[in-house]
Amino acid sequence: MDPRTPCLIGIAQRTIREQPGPEPLGLWEEVARAAAADARLPAGRLDSIQLVYTDSWQYDSPVGRLAERLGAAPRHRAYSKVSGTAPQLLIGEAASRIAAGEIDSALVAGAEALATRRAYRQAGESVPWSHPAVPKPPYGWERPPHPAALAHGLFMPVHTYAIMETARRAAFGLTIEEEMRERGRMMAPMTEVAAANPYAWRRTARTPGELVLGNRFVGWPYTRNTVAVMEVDQAAAVVLASSRLADRLGVPGGQRVYLRGWAYAEDTWEVAARPALGRSEAIGRAAEAAFKRAGLGLDDLHALDLYSCFAIALRQACDAVGLDPLDRRGLTVTGGLPYAGGPASGYVLHSTATMAGLLRAQPGHGLVTGVGMHLTKHAYAVWSSEPGGLPGGKSGGKSGGAAPVFVAEETPIVPVFSGEAVVAGYTVAHGRDGAPERGVLVVDVPSGGRAYAVVARDELLTDAESRELVGQVVRVAHDGEVNVATW
């Protein structure tokens, strides 16, 4: 084996339930030291420190502050943008640099303390955390929402993903009740995994009915118990190293986990621009490339963790790779984002650390996936207890595979529209009191493009939740600010 072959040799996770908890910098340090200790590597010896963007606090120098605490002087430093795929892109970058001989060790860590922020807010206190960035920099997304989406109040994932869910429901010919029952059956086993996971935020097993019935809607048809829980205090870290360094450190072979192959692909950035709202060609392309690079197929895998921020992310993944949502292997090794916890951009560090622990205990192969933005970005990574495949630096793509293997073509968005249109997907936003507040539609317009439209009338919101609205012809009129739909 090439002595530069990268392997994952250190893992750490932390979940803080006592409130208020520590700030992200403290959590970064804790998991960094724990992962380095697991790797038998002095933290000050790290060649690379890479951090996943934290929503909790904007530091003046995130990597620099952590390096200072660890007593490290890394040659390579990185701080990601906002995205659920960020952990895998950083891991891929680290593996690529190790394989190229540029570095021989790397830490990738992420931390959120959003539950602590909520605790301070509820107590009417300011967050007393260190080293704030002054002035506060812009939010860390790669690109802001489309002006037409913002104008129509469509920027929260709980609404954009729900629109894609209704589009898939209609495409598969499911009734509203059938979709909800299938969602409960798909996600209830995830709660059982979370109940057995000591790091999970919600550790209560639920029945299918408990998940979708008697629970308030957030972005209809999604109930609160079937969407990612972001306000958590969680952190995770992994340490990668060259096989040569692992040998020198005395890391046992059974502790080493290998990135056999991974790939990244993109759907459109805007929901309305997707060629088909209910399915994703990009997922299939990312999975195909990752499996090819790994030299393995879906049937070769012993464990799976599909990104599960919302049910549509699971469903589109299953559709794209031909996986039964009730597959005996399960869809998660952690419990998933709604139950194990969805710490903003950092979840894939938790699923990767958990997968690595499983592969240490029982040799085999596992799949970890990530999703970013509005089901835009897709990362598929095949991990194994055995080296092989085309790991980082040999995948033929930029940064060990980060160059997208596929980018979807965009359907034009028509910002201002008046006339008849056909509903392609929709949602009804609900307030914290559980009451419906407004509807948001994506509609097909006669020109071949798509437009957004809002629904304000109470009787129309009730109607939209009582029957299938996808395929309905609606009348759209621009009121000077937004497109408004009636029927």
PDB file of all heavy atoms in Angstrom, residues 330-356:
ATOM      1  N   GLY A 330     -31.418  -0.318   7.214  1.00  0.00           N
ATOM      2  CA  GLY A 330     -31.809   0.973   7.759  1.00  0.00           C
ATOM      3  C   GLY A 330     -31.232   2.116   6.945  1.00  0.00           C
ATOM      4  O   GLY A 330     -30.331   1.932   6.130  1.00  0.00           O
ATOM      5  N   LEU A 331     -31.740   3.307   7.179  1.00  0.00           N
ATOM      6  CA  LEU A 331     -31.314   4.490   6.431  1.00  0.00           C
ATOM      7  C   LEU A 331     -30.341   5.359   7.206  1.00  0.00           C
ATOM      8  O   LEU A 331     -29.840   6.345   6.672  1.00  0.00           O
ATOM      9  CB  LEU A 331     -32.536   5.322   6.030  1.00  0.00           C
ATOM     10  CG  LEU A 331     -33.597   4.612   5.179  1.00  0.00           C
ATOM     11  CD1 LEU A 331     -34.715   5.589   4.830  1.00  0.00           C
ATOM     12  CD2 LEU A 331     -33.000   3.990   3.935  1.00  0.00           C
ATOM     13  N   THR A 332     -30.070   5.012   8.467  1.00  0.00           N
ATOM     14  CA  THR A 332     -29.196   5.849   9.283  1.00  0.00           C
ATOM     15  C   THR A 332     -28.444   5.024  10.301  1.00  0.00           C
ATOM     16  O   THR A 332     -28.945   3.994  10.775  1.00  0.00           O
ATOM     17  CB  THR A 332     -30.009   6.947  10.005  1.00  0.00           C
ATOM     18  OG1 THR A 332     -29.123   7.749  10.792  1.00  0.00           O
ATOM     19  CG2 THR A 332     -31.065   6.350  10.905  1.00  0.00           C
ATOM     20  N   VAL A 333     -27.248   5.494  10.656  1.00  0.00           N
ATOM     21  CA  VAL A 333     -26.484   4.863  11.733  1.00  0.00           C
ATOM     22  C   VAL A 333     -26.516   5.718  13.001  1.00  0.00           C
ATOM     23  O   VAL A 333     -26.104   5.257  14.061  1.00  0.00           O
ATOM     24  CB  VAL A 333     -25.022   4.594  11.305  1.00  0.00           C
ATOM     25  CG1 VAL A 333     -24.981   3.590  10.175  1.00  0.00           C
ATOM     26  CG2 VAL A 333     -24.296   5.884  10.929  1.00  0.00           C
ATOM     27  N   THR A 334     -27.000   6.954  12.891  1.00  0.00           N
ATOM     28  CA  THR A 334     -27.059   7.852  14.048  1.00  0.00           C
ATOM     29  C   THR A 334     -28.466   8.011  14.597  1.00  0.00           C
ATOM     30  O   THR A 334     -28.655   8.267  15.788  1.00  0.00           O
ATOM     31  CB  THR A 334     -26.572   9.260  13.672  1.00  0.00           C
ATOM     32  OG1 THR A 334     -27.506   9.839  12.753  1.00  0.00           O
ATOM     33  CG2 THR A 334     -25.180   9.238  13.074  1.00  0.00           C
ATOM     34  N   GLY A 335     -29.457   7.904  13.739  1.00  0.00           N
ATOM     35  CA  GLY A 335     -30.828   8.261  14.059  1.00  0.00           C
ATOM     36  C   GLY A 335     -31.329   9.380  13.172  1.00  0.00           C
ATOM     37  O   GLY A 335     -32.514   9.677  13.126  1.00  0.00           O
ATOM     38  N   GLY A 336     -30.399  10.028  12.447  1.00  0.00           N
ATOM     39  CA  GLY A 336     -30.786  11.045  11.481  1.00  0.00           C
ATOM     40  C   GLY A 336     -30.953  12.425  12.093  1.00  0.00           C
ATOM     41  O   GLY A 336     -31.011  12.612  13.313  1.00  0.00           O
ATOM     42  N   LEU A 337     -31.058  13.411  11.230  1.00  0.00           N
ATOM     43  CA  LEU A 337     -31.124  14.809  11.674  1.00  0.00           C
ATOM     44  C   LEU A 337     -32.357  15.145  12.521  1.00  0.00           C
ATOM     45  O   LEU A 337     -32.268  15.984  13.409  1.00  0.00           O
ATOM     46  CB  LEU A 337     -31.048  15.757  10.482  1.00  0.00           C
ATOM     47  CG  LEU A 337     -29.671  15.905   9.832  1.00  0.00           C
ATOM     48  CD1 LEU A 337     -29.431  14.821   8.785  1.00  0.00           C
ATOM     49  CD2 LEU A 337     -29.499  17.275   9.187  1.00  0.00           C
ATOM     50  N   PRO A 338     -33.531  14.517  12.289  1.00  0.00           N
ATOM     51  CA  PRO A 338     -34.675  14.862  13.132  1.00  0.00           C
ATOM     52  C   PRO A 338     -34.583  14.305  14.553  1.00  0.00           C
ATOM     53  O   PRO A 338     -35.290  14.780  15.439  1.00  0.00           O
ATOM     54  CB  PRO A 338     -35.866  14.244  12.382  1.00  0.00           C
ATOM     55  CG  PRO A 338     -35.384  14.028  10.989  1.00  0.00           C
ATOM     56  CD  PRO A 338     -33.932  13.701  11.137  1.00  0.00           C
ATOM     57  N   TYR A 339     -33.736  13.307  14.784  1.00  0.00           N
ATOM     58  CA  TYR A 339     -33.715  12.620  16.070  1.00  0.00           C
ATOM     59  C   TYR A 339     -32.316  12.620  16.702  1.00  0.00           C
ATOM     60  O   TYR A 339     -32.164  12.998  17.860  1.00  0.00           O
ATOM     61  CB  TYR A 339     -34.247  11.195  15.901  1.00  0.00           C
ATOM     62  CG  TYR A 339     -35.487  11.198  15.054  1.00  0.00           C
ATOM     63  CD1 TYR A 339     -35.495  10.643  13.773  1.00  0.00           C
ATOM     64  CD2 TYR A 339     -36.647  11.843  15.497  1.00  0.00           C
ATOM     65  CE1 TYR A 339     -36.621  10.699  12.969  1.00  0.00           C
ATOM     66  CE2 TYR A 339     -37.781  11.918  14.696  1.00  0.00           C
ATOM     67  CZ  TYR A 339     -37.761  11.344  13.425  1.00  0.00           C
ATOM     68  OH  TYR A 339     -38.868  11.429  12.636  1.00  0.00           O
ATOM     69  N   ALA A 340     -31.293  12.244  15.963  1.00  0.00           N
ATOM     70  CA  ALA A 340     -29.933  12.342  16.500  1.00  0.00           C
ATOM     71  C   ALA A 340     -29.526  13.790  16.658  1.00  0.00           C
ATOM     72  O   ALA A 340     -28.770  14.154  17.560  1.00  0.00           O
ATOM     73  CB  ALA A 340     -28.946  11.608  15.589  1.00  0.00           C
ATOM     74  N   GLY A 341     -30.032  14.630  15.777  1.00  0.00           N
ATOM     75  CA  GLY A 341     -29.707  16.056  15.819  1.00  0.00           C
ATOM     76  C   GLY A 341     -29.173  16.535  14.494  1.00  0.00           C
ATOM     77  O   GLY A 341     -28.412  15.829  13.826  1.00  0.00           O
ATOM     78  N   GLY A 342     -29.558  17.745  14.112  1.00  0.00           N
ATOM     79  CA  GLY A 342     -29.101  18.334  12.856  1.00  0.00           C
ATOM     80  C   GLY A 342     -28.363  19.626  13.098  1.00  0.00           C
ATOM     81  O   GLY A 342     -28.906  20.719  12.880  1.00  0.00           O
ATOM     82  N   PRO A 343     -27.104  19.544  13.591  1.00  0.00           N
ATOM     83  CA  PRO A 343     -26.366  20.754  13.966  1.00  0.00           C
ATOM     84  C   PRO A 343     -25.927  21.585  12.768  1.00  0.00           C
ATOM     85  O   PRO A 343     -24.752  21.616  12.397  1.00  0.00           O
ATOM     86  CB  PRO A 343     -25.170  20.195  14.742  1.00  0.00           C
ATOM     87  CG  PRO A 343     -24.946  18.839  14.149  1.00  0.00           C
ATOM     88  CD  PRO A 343     -26.315  18.327  13.811  1.00  0.00           C
ATOM     89  N   ALA A 344     -26.907  22.267  12.144  1.00  0.00           N
ATOM     90  CA  ALA A 344     -26.650  23.166  11.007  1.00  0.00           C
ATOM     91  C   ALA A 344     -25.859  22.450   9.918  1.00  0.00           C
ATOM     92  O   ALA A 344     -26.319  21.450   9.382  1.00  0.00           O
ATOM     93  CB  ALA A 344     -25.988  24.442  11.480  1.00  0.00           C
ATOM     94  N   SER A 345     -24.636  22.909   9.618  1.00  0.00           N
ATOM     95  CA  SER A 345     -23.863  22.311   8.529  1.00  0.00           C
ATOM     96  C   SER A 345     -23.044  21.095   8.964  1.00  0.00           C
ATOM     97  O   SER A 345     -22.375  20.490   8.130  1.00  0.00           O
ATOM     98  CB  SER A 345     -22.912  23.356   7.937  1.00  0.00           C
ATOM     99  OG  SER A 345     -23.622  24.439   7.376  1.00  0.00           O
ATOM    100  N   GLY A 346     -23.078  20.735  10.244  1.00  0.00           N
ATOM    101  CA  GLY A 346     -22.114  19.767  10.763  1.00  0.00           C
ATOM    102  C   GLY A 346     -22.527  18.321  10.846  1.00  0.00           C
ATOM    103  O   GLY A 346     -21.725  17.480  11.262  1.00  0.00           O
ATOM    104  N   TYR A 347     -23.768  17.971  10.452  1.00  0.00           N
ATOM    105  CA  TYR A 347     -24.248  16.610  10.720  1.00  0.00           C
ATOM    106  C   TYR A 347     -23.355  15.523  10.132  1.00  0.00           C
ATOM    107  O   TYR A 347     -23.131  14.471  10.765  1.00  0.00           O
ATOM    108  CB  TYR A 347     -25.675  16.429  10.189  1.00  0.00           C
ATOM    109  CG  TYR A 347     -26.113  14.978  10.245  1.00  0.00           C
ATOM    110  CD1 TYR A 347     -26.522  14.409  11.441  1.00  0.00           C
ATOM    111  CD2 TYR A 347     -26.059  14.163   9.105  1.00  0.00           C
ATOM    112  CE1 TYR A 347     -26.883  13.069  11.513  1.00  0.00           C
ATOM    113  CE2 TYR A 347     -26.409  12.831   9.175  1.00  0.00           C
ATOM    114  CZ  TYR A 347     -26.825  12.286  10.368  1.00  0.00           C
ATOM    115  OH  TYR A 347     -27.167  10.954  10.442  1.00  0.00           O
ATOM    116  N   VAL A 348     -22.831  15.708   8.928  1.00  0.00           N
ATOM    117  CA  VAL A 348     -22.070  14.638   8.277  1.00  0.00           C
ATOM    118  C   VAL A 348     -20.812  14.271   9.058  1.00  0.00           C
ATOM    119  O   VAL A 348     -20.318  13.140   8.946  1.00  0.00           O
ATOM    120  CB  VAL A 348     -21.759  15.008   6.808  1.00  0.00           C
ATOM    121  CG1 VAL A 348     -20.742  14.069   6.184  1.00  0.00           C
ATOM    122  CG2 VAL A 348     -23.056  14.983   5.993  1.00  0.00           C
ATOM    123  N   LEU A 349     -20.297  15.153   9.882  1.00  0.00           N
ATOM    124  CA  LEU A 349     -19.196  14.762  10.761  1.00  0.00           C
ATOM    125  C   LEU A 349     -19.666  13.717  11.771  1.00  0.00           C
ATOM    126  O   LEU A 349     -18.934  12.776  12.101  1.00  0.00           O
ATOM    127  CB  LEU A 349     -18.629  15.975  11.480  1.00  0.00           C
ATOM    128  CG  LEU A 349     -17.586  16.784  10.707  1.00  0.00           C
ATOM    129  CD1 LEU A 349     -17.229  18.047  11.465  1.00  0.00           C
ATOM    130  CD2 LEU A 349     -16.346  15.948  10.444  1.00  0.00           C
ATOM    131  N   HIS A 350     -20.889  13.862  12.261  1.00  0.00           N
ATOM    132  CA  HIS A 350     -21.435  12.893  13.206  1.00  0.00           C
ATOM    133  C   HIS A 350     -21.698  11.550  12.526  1.00  0.00           C
ATOM    134  O   HIS A 350     -21.379  10.488  13.075  1.00  0.00           O
ATOM    135  CB  HIS A 350     -22.714  13.440  13.833  1.00  0.00           C
ATOM    136  CG  HIS A 350     -22.491  14.623  14.720  1.00  0.00           C
ATOM    137  ND1 HIS A 350     -22.318  14.524  16.078  1.00  0.00           N
ATOM    138  CD2 HIS A 350     -22.375  15.947  14.416  1.00  0.00           C
ATOM    139  CE1 HIS A 350     -22.125  15.728  16.589  1.00  0.00           C
ATOM    140  NE2 HIS A 350     -22.160  16.609  15.599  1.00  0.00           N
ATOM    141  N   SER A 351     -22.291  11.597  11.347  1.00  0.00           N
ATOM    142  CA  SER A 351     -22.566  10.334  10.651  1.00  0.00           C
ATOM    143  C   SER A 351     -21.275   9.652  10.222  1.00  0.00           C
ATOM    144  O   SER A 351     -21.162   8.414  10.281  1.00  0.00           O
ATOM    145  CB  SER A 351     -23.474  10.574   9.435  1.00  0.00           C
ATOM    146  OG  SER A 351     -22.958  11.563   8.574  1.00  0.00           O
ATOM    147  N   THR A 352     -20.258  10.435   9.839  1.00  0.00           N
ATOM    148  CA  THR A 352     -18.972   9.850   9.460  1.00  0.00           C
ATOM    149  C   THR A 352     -18.277   9.233  10.670  1.00  0.00           C
ATOM    150  O   THR A 352     -17.748   8.116  10.596  1.00  0.00           O
ATOM    151  CB  THR A 352     -18.069  10.917   8.822  1.00  0.00           C
ATOM    152  OG1 THR A 352     -18.700  11.416   7.634  1.00  0.00           O
ATOM    153  CG2 THR A 352     -16.709  10.341   8.449  1.00  0.00           C
ATOM    154  N   ALA A 353     -18.282   9.936  11.801  1.00  0.00           N
ATOM    155  CA  ALA A 353     -17.656   9.393  13.011  1.00  0.00           C
ATOM    156  C   ALA A 353     -18.370   8.131  13.476  1.00  0.00           C
ATOM    157  O   ALA A 353     -17.724   7.141  13.872  1.00  0.00           O
ATOM    158  CB  ALA A 353     -17.660  10.448  14.118  1.00  0.00           C
ATOM    159  N   THR A 354     -19.694   8.146  13.415  1.00  0.00           N
ATOM    160  CA  THR A 354     -20.445   6.963  13.827  1.00  0.00           C
ATOM    161  C   THR A 354     -20.183   5.801  12.879  1.00  0.00           C
ATOM    162  O   THR A 354     -19.986   4.652  13.319  1.00  0.00           O
ATOM    163  CB  THR A 354     -21.941   7.277  13.876  1.00  0.00           C
ATOM    164  OG1 THR A 354     -22.169   8.377  14.769  1.00  0.00           O
ATOM    165  CG2 THR A 354     -22.743   6.081  14.357  1.00  0.00           C
ATOM    166  N   MET A 355     -20.154   6.087  11.576  1.00  0.00           N
ATOM    167  CA  MET A 355     -19.872   5.034  10.597  1.00  0.00           C
ATOM    168  C   MET A 355     -18.478   4.462  10.821  1.00  0.00           C
ATOM    169  O   MET A 355     -18.279   3.234  10.764  1.00  0.00           O
ATOM    170  CB  MET A 355     -20.004   5.587   9.179  1.00  0.00           C
ATOM    171  CG  MET A 355     -19.793   4.555   8.082  1.00  0.00           C
ATOM    172  SD  MET A 355     -21.085   3.273   8.048  1.00  0.00           S
ATOM    173  CE  MET A 355     -22.438   4.213   7.318  1.00  0.00           C
ATOM    174  N   ALA A 356     -17.512   5.326  11.079  1.00  0.00           N
ATOM    175  CA  ALA A 356     -16.145   4.841  11.324  1.00  0.00           C
ATOM    176  C   ALA A 356     -16.116   3.925  12.542  1.00  0.00           C
ATOM    177  O   ALA A 356     -15.435   2.885  12.539  1.00  0.00           O
ATOM    178  CB  ALA A 356     -15.203   6.024  11.523  1.00  0.00           C
TER     179      ALA A 356
END
